Amino acid sequence: MLLTVGSMTIDTIVDGETRRTIDFLYPAGTAEERAEAETFSDRITGELVMTIGSYLVRFGDRVVLFDTGVGSQPVGTYIGGALRSALLAQGVALAEITDVIFTHLHADHIGWATQNGQPFFPNATYRCDRRDWNHFVSPEYEIPAWEIVSSTPEHDAARVRLAPLADRMVFWEGDAEVLPGITAIDAAGHTPGTDAFLLESDGERALLLGDIVHSVHELLFGWDFPVHYDHEAALAALRRVRSLAVEQHLPVSAAHFTGMGWGYVTHDGDRFRWQSIH
Ligand SMILES: [Zn+2]
């Protein structure tokens, strides 16, 4: 879908999806909460559909891609492959992308960053939080068990996929203006360098959440997620960005929301609720 924020346009560029049961992802949720989340599930398998892709943000001379999907080949149960066609369908050539901003460096966000050992977006400046680069690209990074079973690390790990970008990366760290109108908000926890992103233009604002949460109901109910790097910090970050979204009535989306849809979080005195933007 298309969201406009002042003179900024934000298009959804779907690369693919992955699916998991809500029981597997969110064992901490109550039966009632999980039943509510099932309204977002595949009706046949009962699995939560987690979309994977990029947000294409255009303003002024900038053509910015947030994250780069799974890539041309599947990564474990993450199925991508559509991102290039989705960009072309928007009339955007690879060479027109001016900036690639990574929300964090997990394999399902860096897939199209390079192909065959070359930057896939030839004219782009690639940007990420320095803490994630230092963590994932370090030769000392020990690949956790869940990454080993859900990817092929010799192809998909950040230190392999992003190696061709080493001399062209631009870093920020925590709270920082990444580009005029795009501000990172420190939300470390899912990974050491996970951030939220405030998009601002002409007095209007929106909030991108990356993988701070992976579903609308994770955001509403404050559920834990199995593969956070630091669970306590991740849950604190979730509550911080949720408060920001509620108090400032900001449209929000996250990289794996079903359909990568946008909505508002409201609080009715009792609990948080989701108001979808169609
Ligand atoms: Zn992800």
Side-chain angles (χ1 to χ4, degrees):
M1 69 173 283
L2 170 70
L3 185 81
T4 59
V5 175
S7 59
M8 197 178 253
T9 62
I10 309 171
D11 286 287
T12 303
I13 304 292
V14 172
D15 191 38
E17 67 178 41
T18 189
R19 299 177 301 276
R20 295 283 194 290
T21 66
I22 290 164
D23 288 351
F24 169 80
L25 288 174
Y26 302 118
T30 66
E32 198 174 64
E33 290 170 347
R34 283 185 281 161
E36 186 177 316
E38 276 167 14
T39 55
F40 282 67
S41 300
D42 181 301
R43 281 165 198 273
I44 294 171
T45 65
E47 294 167 311
L48 181 68
V49 177
M50 301 168 73
T51 303
I52 302 171
S54 304
Y55 298 95
L56 177 71
V57 181
R58 286 181 275 192
F59 58 100
D61 296 335
R62 301 280 185 175
V63 183
V64 180
L65 210 53
F66 273 88
D67 291 331
T68 63
V70 175
S72 58
Q73 304 299 318
V75 174
T77 59
Y78 302 91
I79 308 301
L83 184 136
R84 170 174 28 204
S85 290
L87 280 173
L88 294 172
Q90 294 282 342
V92 177
L94 303 178
E96 290 179 74
I97 303 294
T98 59
D99 303 85
V100 172
I101 297 175
F102 297 114
T103 62
H104 66 299
L105 298 183
H106 278 157
D108 55 317
H109 298 256
I110 62 171
W112 288 98
T114 65
Q115 292 287 297
N116 303 317
Q118 299 291 326
F120 191 60
F121 304 100
N123 297 319
T125 301
Y126 288 75
R127 303 172 187 273
C128 79
D129 190 304
R130 183 187 299 279
R131 297 169 300 177
D132 252 28
W133 183 271
N134 289 348
H135 179 72
F136 287 107
V137 181
S138 161
E140 278 139 46
Y141 175 61
E142 283 186 34
I143 297 173
W146 71 268
E147 255 187 84
I148 292 170
V149 299
S150 60
S151 66
T152 310
E154 56 266 43
H155 301 127
D156 307 324
R159 66 170 169 244
V160 178
R161 183 79 72 194
L162 302 183
L165 303 176
D167 60 357
R168 55 193 283 173
M169 290 297 305
V170 173
F171 300 109
W172 77 86
E173 190 166 329
D175 296 331
E177 186 181 65
V178 177
L179 287 173
I182 299 179
T183 305
I185 300 170
D186 189 352
H190 180 60
T191 66
T194 285
D195 297 304
F197 296 87
L198 191 62
L199 310 181
E200 294 183 89
S201 171
D202 302 330
E204 293 183 19
R205 312 210 285 175
L207 193 59
L208 276 175
L209 300 183
D211 276 15
I212 295 168
V213 292
H214 301 73
S215 67
V216 165
H217 293 83
E218 186 180 334
L219 179 63
L220 298 184
F221 295 126
W223 285 337
D224 200 2
F225 190 75
V227 300
H228 287 319
Y229 171 75
D230 179 335
H231 289 263
E232 203 175 312
L235 291 173
L238 183 161
R239 291 190 289 269
R240 282 201 311 277
V241 298
R242 187 175 58 189
S243 294
L244 181 67
V246 171
E247 285 159 16
Q248 302 200 10
H249 197 57
L250 302 175
V252 301
S253 187
H256 298 308
F257 279 5
T258 306
M260 297 172 71
W262 289 87
Y264 295 100
V265 184
T266 60
H267 191 269
D268 63 8
D270 179 30
R271 52 160 290 185
F272 294 98
R273 295 188 187 278
W274 182 250
Q275 196 186 334
S276 195
I277 301 171
H278 296 290

